[in-house]
């Protein structure tokens, strides 16, 4: 039941803001959650940025947020790996921020005889580095990807994201990742619930994208709340086979529903 949800996992762009514009309903909604003893966290597939960068961006928009309120696919990957093999030797393709995340989590980063290979967003890829990655994957080392997005939106368009690298590696090695952590895969939700001491009955994913945010709800067995403030229109939703638990115009309509319960 919607009234029982205590942990709201919020997508960001298209849900609480659009581009650089904070939606007028966002701050009242967040204040309402806090006033009623509910928690909001900000969940993203982006594994390239540190939590501090998200904090700076959100605070710049007027949102009262702490680093612990940000949950990335990179952090989810470290939590999952620490359940499998704490302190393992990891071959990681990722940004310096992601490398620092793994080192803080107690892992040893190496390209020599790793126990796992982790594919994150990495703008330092070279042909030599890609060759090394394919050799490691081809050797049978467990292969983890932080998220499956094919493109990363940037000012003026898109740049290739991890999904494109997954396709490259599969073309060369014949292997897909053994585990993909980020949305719409359930692992990211499972790790978030464990971190924030929640369960499936009291957790909801709120977002504007059917194939990531809402599909995550289905895959993880949690409540999914679609908002029409971003990518998905009512017409899109009517044509889609992906179904949300609830659908609202925006966070203001969701708040009004909660207030009337």
């Amino acid at each position: 039941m919607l009234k029982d949800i205590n942990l709201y996992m919020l997508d960001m762009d298209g849900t609480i803001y659009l581009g650089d514009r904070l939606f007028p309903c966002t701050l009242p909604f967040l204040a309402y959650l806090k006033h009623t003893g509910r928690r909001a966290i900000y969940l993203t597939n982006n594994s390239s940025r540190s939590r501090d960068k998200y904090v700076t961006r959100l605070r710049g928009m007027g949102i009262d947020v702490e680093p612990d309120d940000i949950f990335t696919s990179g952090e989810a990957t470290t939590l999952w790996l620490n359940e499998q093999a704490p302190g393992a030797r990891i071959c990681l393709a990722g940004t310096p921020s992601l490398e620092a995340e793994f080192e803080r989590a107690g892992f040893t980063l190496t390209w020599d005889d790793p126990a796992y290979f982790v594919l994150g967003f990495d703008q330092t890829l070279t042909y030599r580095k890609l060759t090394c990655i394919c050799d490691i994957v081809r050797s049978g080392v467990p292969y983890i990807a932080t998220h499956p997005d094919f493109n990363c939106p940037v000012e003026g368009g898109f740049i290739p994201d991890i999904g494109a690298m997954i396709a490259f590696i599969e073309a060369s090695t014949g292997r897909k990742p053994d585990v993909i952590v980020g949305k719409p895969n359930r692992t990211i939700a499972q790790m978030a619930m464990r971190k924030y001491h929640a369960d499936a009955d009291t957790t909801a994913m709120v977002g504007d994208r059917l194939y990531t945010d809402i599909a995550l709800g289905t895959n993880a067995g949690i409540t999914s709340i679609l908002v029409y403030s971003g990518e998905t229109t009512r017409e899109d939703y009517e044509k889609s086979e992906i179904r949300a638990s609830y659908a609202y115009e925006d966070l203001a309509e969701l708040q009004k529903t909660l207030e009337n319960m």
Side-chain angles (χ1 to χ4, degrees):
M1 298 292 291
L2 189 60
K3 64 182 177 61
D4 297 326
I5 302 300
N6 291 320
L7 177 64
Y8 284 80
M9 303 192 302
L10 303 176
D11 173 58
M12 287 185 269
D13 202 359
T15 301
I16 63 173
Y17 59 74
L18 193 61
D20 293 323
R21 181 176 64 87
L22 188 71
F23 293 132
C25 56
T26 297
L27 294 182
F29 175 74
L30 295 174
Y32 172 77
L33 292 185
K34 185 174 182 179
H35 176 72
T36 56
R38 298 173 169 99
R39 176 151 196 183
I41 65 167
Y42 306 91
L43 188 146
T44 175
N45 263 3
N46 192 333
S47 63
S48 64
R49 290 183 179 180
S50 68
R51 286 177 288 180
D52 289 341
K53 288 187 178 181
Y54 280 105
V55 168
T56 299
R57 176 175 174 78
L58 293 176
R59 284 179 178 172
M61 292 182 170
I63 296 175
D64 182 15
V65 62
E66 298 296 330
D68 195 50
D69 299 324
I70 310 296
F71 194 72
T72 70
S73 65
E75 182 181 5
T77 303
T78 66
L79 293 174
W80 184 85
L81 279 168
N82 259 325
E83 290 186 354
Q84 316 305 313
R89 293 167 59 84
I90 304 292
C91 177
L92 172 65
T95 61
S97 292
L98 188 60
E99 290 175 350
E101 181 98 52
F102 271 73
E103 289 173 338
R104 283 194 302 269
F107 296 106
T108 298
L109 301 185
T110 180
W111 288 82
D112 181 25
D113 193 28
Y116 290 86
F117 168 65
V118 176
L119 178 65
F121 183 76
D122 186 357
Q123 290 183 292
T124 69
L125 290 174
T126 62
Y127 192 82
R128 181 178 180 181
K129 193 171 185 179
L130 286 167
T131 300
C132 290
I133 288 170
C134 289
D135 285 344
I136 289 171
V137 171
R138 196 177 289 112
S139 74
V141 170
Y143 166 25
I144 316 301
T146 60
H147 64 273
D149 299 26
F150 279 96
N151 291 298
C152 177
V154 296
E155 186 175 351
F158 298 90
I159 58 176
D161 208 332
I162 289 177
M165 298 305 105
I166 290 173
F168 178 98
I169 294 167
E170 183 184 0
S172 176
T173 68
R175 284 188 67 192
K176 295 181 180 180
D178 300 300
V179 175
I180 301 178
V181 174
K183 300 182 289 185
N185 301 285
R186 64 182 182 177
T187 304
I188 193 169
Q190 291 172 331
M191 295 302 104
M193 287 187 283
R194 290 175 194 173
K195 176 179 178 179
Y196 297 102
H197 308 292
D199 58 41
D201 291 336
T202 59
T203 300
M205 179 68 216
V206 185
D208 67 304
R209 291 185 176 183
L210 291 170
Y211 52 91
T212 55
D213 304 318
I214 305 310
L216 173 63
T218 300
N219 294 337
I222 62 175
T223 297
S224 58
I225 301 173
L226 174 67
V227 287
Y228 296 120
S229 50
E231 178 177 299
T232 303
T233 65
R234 290 182 181 273
E235 291 74 22
D236 293 334
Y237 185 49
E238 289 172 1
K239 296 174 183 177
S240 175
E241 294 182 358
I242 300 173
R243 310 313 296 170
S245 307
Y246 303 91
Y248 298 103
E249 193 64 33
D250 53 21
L251 294 178
E253 188 176 2
L254 170 56
Q255 180 180 340
K256 184 177 180 181
T257 301
L258 289 170
E259 289 173 336
N260 291 332
M261 286 183 169

